[in-house]
Amino acid sequence: MSLRKFLDKIKPNFEEGGKFHWLNSTYDAFETFLYVPNKTSKSGVHIHDARDSKRTMVIVILALIPALLMGMYNVGYQHYLAINVQAGFVGTFLYGLLAMLPQIVVSYVVGLGIEFAMAQMKKEEVAEGFLVSGLLIPMILPVDTPLWMIAVATAFSVIFAKEVFGGTGYNIFNVALIARAFLFFAYPSKMSGDQVWVRTADTFGLGGGNVVDGFSGATPLGQLAVSDASRFGDFSFLGITGNPLSLWDMFIGLIPGSVGEVSTLAILLGAILLIITGVGSWKTMTSVFLGGLFTVALLNLLAQNAAMEMPPVYHFLLGGFAFGAVFMATDPVTSARTEKGKWIYGFLIGVVAILIRIFNPGYPEGMMLAILFMNAFAPLIDFYVVDANIKRRLKRAAVKK
């Protein structure tokens, strides 16, 4: 209550005519983040709900926490495995936490700074969308991405993928994925290969040392992309020290990769929360996996190499397939909004992601480009779904006459 009274006391300073009226958007952003607005509509038809967009974003952030925490632990796990040091659970997690924290801070400072500045310039409320995007950006980048690159990519994505379209709710493409795509094409050496997924240097004096002989930081999908094996049965996924990787390692997330994408178990926990709360569409999530399953099954029948023979479970556990299906494809702004459209949209994402993985050895991931590609077609899908519904109703009305 004391905080509420304090906010009420200083509020006149930020209203029109107040000493800090030019910071009204900033004050409003903090107030509505802490408390549900008490404003009510006076006329018109409205749906009253205690959960506004900020509360929705908070739920998404809570859903991301398991993947973030597991990813932090894996950063430390891969580091100490590379230098052959036993650090214990606390030391391992602390290393990953310290490695990730600066990236998260830079992402939020740059992104929110631009959002606050734009809101003040336009005298509008601060949009809430970047609360999620600011966390997603560092979670889908290699852990060794330089901080200045994260700052540049964040600024680029917020300005050119969001603000130029009108801000939150009007952007066509997923903001976090645009940041990753920008870095992938502008600085490819920092976004791919076997030197960017495992941090081998010390972090704030913690860790560091010489890597073991035979070290390789290649991701499992990266290994498959350069393999000359003609049959999947002749191929083995290896860890960074040459040890075979099991399906369990892939499921819990003890493999090289982006921080948020490695643990399918943690992503599954987040998906459950999004579905229970109704924030994420289970139709979109399910259809992404169905599209992937269909494409993999078809390619398995036509297999000419190990990549085409890889069973569906490996596709779902490796890379960003699960993370993209749960947290990226379900973005309410850039995805299809009609119920039937969600099935079509998600299915095509799964199809395109697998096709890119299999037939583009230069980019063994595929999920990022698949989602961005389908972002562009989401409005078209919705248009034809709505148009088909209108024609169906017109025919039904004509029959009744």
Side-chain angles (χ1 to χ4, degrees), residues 11 75 84 116 136 216 240 278 312 362 379 389:
K11 188 172 185 176
V75 168
N84 195 26
F116 274 71
L136 283 174
S216 172
I240 62 175
N389 288 338

Side-chain angles (χ1 to χ4, degrees), residues 285-353:
M285 296 182 200
T286 304
S287 59
V288 171
F289 285 98
L290 288 177
L293 181 63
F294 168 80
T295 310
V296 173
L298 183 61
L299 292 176
N300 284 170
L301 294 175
L302 307 173
Q304 300 294 317
N305 52 44
M308 294 179 71
E309 266 192 359
M310 186 164 69
V313 63
Y314 289 95
H315 281 285
F316 298 160
L317 294 180
L318 298 176
F321 196 94
F323 191 85
V326 173
F327 295 108
M328 301 293 194
T330 56
D331 178 8
V333 176
T334 59
S335 66
R337 302 185 185 186
T338 58
E339 296 307 306
K340 185 180 293 185
K342 291 175 183 177
W343 287 105
I344 300 171
Y345 170 79
F347 188 88
L348 291 177
I349 286 177
V351 171
V352 175

Side-chain angles (χ1 to χ4, degrees), residues 114-184:
I114 294 174
E115 295 250 343
F116 274 71
M118 294 298 294
Q120 293 296 156
M121 288 172 57
K122 296 187 292 185
K123 295 183 179 180
E124 297 177 352
E125 294 181 356
V126 178
E128 304 84 5
F130 198 78
L131 290 176
V132 172
S133 300
L135 186 58
L136 283 174
I137 290 174
M139 289 181 69
I140 61 176
L141 298 178
V143 68
D144 255 352
T145 306
L147 296 181
W148 69 268
M149 285 190 184
I150 295 177
V152 172
T154 300
F156 177 88
S157 61
V158 171
I159 295 172
F160 293 103
K162 188 176 183 180
E163 295 300 335
V164 296
F165 290 99
T168 299
Y170 298 97
N171 51 296
I172 299 174
F173 300 103
N174 184 286
V175 175
L177 287 179
I178 287 294
R180 178 170 176 167
F182 172 81
L183 289 178
F184 179 79

Side-chain angles (χ1 to χ4, degrees), residues 51 56 59 272-281:
R51 190 177 71 192
T56 299
I59 291 174
I272 293 173
L273 176 61
L274 293 180
I275 292 173
I276 290 176
T277 56
V279 172
S281 170

Side-chain angles (χ1 to χ4, degrees), residues 7-28:
L7 291 174
D8 290 338
K9 181 179 179 181
I10 65 173
K11 188 172 185 176
N13 294 317
F14 298 92
E15 294 177 337
E16 193 66 33
K19 187 168 29 175
F20 304 111
H21 66 91
W22 52 279
L23 287 175
N24 178 264
S25 297
T26 303
Y27 172 85
D28 179 76

